Amino acid sequence: MLDGKRVLLIIAGGIAAYRSLELIRRLRERGCRVRCVLTRGGAQFVTPLSVAALSEEKVYQDLFSLTDESEMGHIRLSREADIIVVAPASADLIAKMANGHADDLASTALLATDKPVLIAPTMNVQMWAHPAVRRNIATLESWGVQRVGPGSGALACGETGSGRMAEPMEIVTAIETVLAQAMRPRPLAGRRALVTSGPTWEPIDPVRFIANRSSGKQGHAIASALQALGASVTLVSGPTNQPDPAGVAVVNIESAREMLEACLAALPVDVAVFAAAVADWRVDGASDQKIKKTGAPPALQMTENPDILKTIANAGANRPRLVVGFAAETESVEAHAQAKLARKGCDWILANDVSTGTGTFGGDANTLRLITHDGVDAWPTMTKVAAAARLADAIAASLPPTLKAAQ
Ligand code: C5P
């Protein structure tokens, strides 16, 4: 599958750079065109001559080189590739990428690209564990940058641990995977989606709150699945332990009122999926100070929270074309979900049985029924990730294709 693919290989500074020469050979053997950018650090470890000889292409090194810019501007360099591979990816180049620097050819090409980016980090084990590197890697991954390695083992610095650049053949396999992903159909390209996920926390006082059970697993998986089909997704999430899905704009909130505000701010969207377990009530006049244990427990006055799904489903001109709600029920699942469809004014309801013993809360599997105005579709039990993919497919099938999806 690599035959004829164009790889822009950025070789940053690191002792592992010599293994990038082998990577070039493996890619050339598979019919790839490999153009290389060699950073100043990279050129300390491998020579431009060896890179040029193996890639059978000119090597690009300088952002301000008149010859390079007139032959091939940095924008063209990054756009005329199917994938950009950074191997080795040094801590310094990773930091530049995460902070949007553009002070050399490599960082500028990475900033200018609209193509998938794969990094193969390598560094000392302590550097890899440093919070700055952890933060930079998390930032890049939240933008959809893909990573291969590092592996563990003996490092050139004499220490042992995580920090070894992935083997050239592992990088080749990772390139194949990323390109296969990029070639998947993206029927939701050009569409905007809103997803709610997780619980809401309703304060009693500064240290206590009321919440519903929700791990956020299903909602986060739905945001990912819509993003994978090309949608531009805003995920409004209450507090969860789930990592931010790659390539999704995440808005973190705590209370139902904050969730509603964030959802309204995300409009207009084409599709909205409400998977959050919103607390139905909040404490009226939550205390600014911690309530003291003075003997008698406090009498909490409750008031109803806004119904976010109902509000957005009735948002007039701003109403998304497709509004999907969830119904977690413990009995008469279908009948209650049908009634909810009408009461909330949404188009679809995904109903699940959360009675004790089903393991839906916090678990990885879900048994859902998709209830629409046309009838009921009972899905088999599957993982929450698979259910999210199935929902995203159903959403894509129900919306007319956009011009972008046809490209
Ligand atoms: O009425 P009930 O809470 O059972 O409805 C569940 C559906 O409504 C879910 O999709 C949930 O995300 C949404 N909901 C909401 N705002 C509320 C309560 C529920 O968006 N205040």
Side-chain angles (χ1 to χ4, degrees), residues 196 274-276 278-280 306-309 325-326 340 343-344:
T196 68
F274 296 91
V278 183
D280 293 306
D307 189 317
I308 302 163
L309 165 58
F326 271 77
K340 198 164 286 181
R343 194 170 65 243
K344 302 256 189 179

Side-chain angles (χ1 to χ4, degrees), residues 188 191-195 226 231-235 266 268-273:
L188 290 176
R191 294 286 186 196
R192 286 166 55 90
L194 165 67
V195 180
L226 291 169
S232 141
V233 183
T234 302
L235 173 65
V269 296
D270 298 287
V271 53
V273 182

Side-chain angles (χ1 to χ4, degrees), residues 182-192 226-232 270 392 395-397 399-407:
M183 283 183 331
R184 270 191 323 218
R186 291 162 58 85
L188 290 176
R191 294 286 186 196
R192 286 166 55 90
L226 291 169
Q227 192 274 341
L229 294 192
S232 141
D270 298 287
I395 289 170
L399 294 172
T402 58
L403 275 180
K404 259 194 158 171
Q407 282 167 6

Side-chain angles (χ1 to χ4, degrees), residues 102-139:
D103 61 353
D104 63 4
L105 184 56
S107 53
T108 310
L110 283 160
L111 202 57
T113 194
D114 55 356
K115 295 298 176 344
V117 176
L118 173 71
I119 59 172
T122 176
M123 63 195 75
N124 165 271
V125 57
Q126 296 295 342
M127 290 168 75
W128 178 244
H130 194 282
V133 175
R134 304 263 47 83
R135 180 200 59 195
N136 291 338
I137 291 283
T139 302

